Amino acid sequence: MSKSTLKLEHCPVCAAEAKPLDVVDFNKNCEEKTGVFLPLSGRSVYYYHCPNCAFTFAPEIMAWSKEEFEANIYNDEYKVVDPDYLEARPVNNANSIYNTFDQFYGKAKHLDFGGGNGLMSKIMRDKGWDSTSYDPFVNADVNPDALGKFDFITAFEIFEHVSDVNKLIRSLTSLMHPQSVVLFSTLVSDTDIKPNQRLNWWYASPRNGHISLFSKKSLSLLAQSVDLKCGSFNNVAHYLYYNK
C-alpha cells in the first residue's frame, strides 16, 4: 500500500482523525533489542497516530480475522519473538502477584484475562488463590460474560495486542463489580512516539502483534468511556477501578 492510497482513519479511542505516522516491515519484532532480527518480509505495516490522545495503531492488521492472527502472528514461530510467554512471564507474574497482594490471599476471586496457556492461574491456585484463566485464543468456546464477576483481574501484556480496544474495555467492565480492581501492563508511548519522527520504538513490533500502542491519555480516555478510572504505577503497570 502506498502512502498516496492510505485511507482516512479515525482513532478507535477518541474518534479524532488519525494521521499516518510511519511504515515498518511486518517482521519488526521486540527481540531486536536483544539482537534477534528476522529476515525482511517485504510486507509493509503502516502505523497511524492520533494527534488528540496519542494512541498509535496499525489499522490494516486490526482488521484481520482471528484465523489471520493465528496464521501470521500466533503461530509456531511466535516463541522466537516472545520467548518468555510460555513459562517465564506467567511464572514471574504469579510470584509477583502472590508476594505483592497478599491481602487478597484466600479472599479474592481472581481472573487472569488473556492468560494464554493458564500457567499463571495454575500457579496461583497451587498457592491457595481462587484463580481462573481466560484467553480468547485458547478458550474460544467460552463466553467471558458467563464467567461471572471477579474481585481482582489481571491483564498482563494484553492491551497492545487487541484489535478492538473498545471491545476489550467493555469485556473487562462486564467482569467487574463496583469494588473490583484490574491490574494490567502495557508500555506507554509518551516519551517514545512523536509526530513527524520515525517509529524506531522497539515496542512497535507487528510480528509480536503489537498493534495498539497507548499513551497515558489514551488509556484514561478509554477507561472513561465505560465509567472507569485509570491510574499508573509507572510506564508499564496500570490499574482500573470504578469511578464512584
Side-chain angles (χ1 to χ4, degrees):
M1 185 188 302
S2 67
K3 189 168 182 178
S4 62
T5 61
L6 290 176
K7 299 184 298 181
L8 174 68
E9 297 288 349
H10 288 88
C11 175
V13 174
C14 72
E17 182 180 335
K19 307 291 185 181
L21 176 68
D22 203 356
V23 58
V24 302
D25 187 80
F26 175 75
N27 273 348
K28 183 175 182 292
N29 72 90
C30 290
E31 286 302 300
E32 289 183 2
K33 69 182 186 299
T34 67
V36 177
F37 291 87
L38 300 179
L40 291 175
S41 70
R43 301 167 65 183
S44 298
V45 177
Y46 279 86
Y47 281 84
Y48 282 69
H49 182 75
C50 176
N52 178 53
C53 72
F55 182 66
T56 302
F57 58 104
E60 187 173 0
I61 297 182
M62 290 171 106
W64 282 2
S65 66
K66 180 175 180 287
E67 290 72 23
E68 287 175 301
F69 276 101
E70 290 175 332
N72 292 284
I73 294 178
Y74 307 119
N75 51 32
D76 291 340
E77 299 304 313
Y78 185 74
K79 59 182 178 291
V80 175
V81 298
D82 189 3
D84 293 338
Y85 86 101
L86 282 175
E87 183 173 357
R89 186 179 302 123
V91 169
N92 290 337
N93 286 339
N95 289 332
S96 177
I97 292 298
Y98 179 74
N99 293 327
T100 305
F101 296 95
D102 58 326
Q103 69 270 30
F104 289 153
Y105 174 76
K107 302 175 183 177
K109 184 181 178 184
H110 167 254
L111 174 69
D112 188 27
F113 189 96
N117 60 12
L119 179 58
M120 176 181 168
S121 276
K122 179 183 183 303
I123 294 171
M124 293 183 68
R125 287 194 300 273
D126 290 344
K127 293 178 179 292
W129 281 64
D130 177 4
S131 181
T132 300
S133 179
Y134 167 74
D135 190 291
F137 283 93
V138 177
N139 313 113
D141 57 339
V142 175
N143 178 359
D145 293 338
L147 295 173
K149 306 291 184 181
F150 294 84
D151 307 305
F152 185 43
I153 300 171
T154 50
F156 294 126
E157 299 293 315
I158 301 302
F159 276 59
E160 64 274 15
H161 290 265
V162 297
S163 56
D164 188 337
V165 296
N166 293 288
K167 181 180 178 180
L168 170 66
I169 199 68
R170 290 194 301 268
S171 294
L172 288 172
T173 305
S174 73
L175 297 163
M176 299 171 65
H177 57 68
Q179 286 74 46
S180 299
V181 175
V182 177
L183 177 66
F184 69 99
S185 66
T186 191
L187 186 58
V188 292
S189 63
D190 296 61
T191 61
D192 294 283
I193 295 181
K194 302 293 182 184
N196 304 315
Q197 293 183 13
R198 299 311 301 259
L199 185 58
N200 297 317
W201 193 29
W202 68 270
Y203 206 62
S205 294
R207 184 59 186 85
N208 286 75
H210 289 194
I211 56 175
S212 295
L213 307 175
F214 288 88
S215 64
K216 286 186 178 179
K217 181 177 180 180
S218 61
L219 284 176
S220 180
L221 289 176
L222 187 66
Q224 288 177 28
S225 71
V226 289
D227 200 31
L228 296 177
K229 282 192 173 183
C230 180
S232 297
F233 296 107
N234 48 48
N235 285 340
V236 179
H238 320 278
Y239 54 96
L240 298 167
Y241 60 101
Y242 267 103
N243 182 14
K244 301 180 182 65

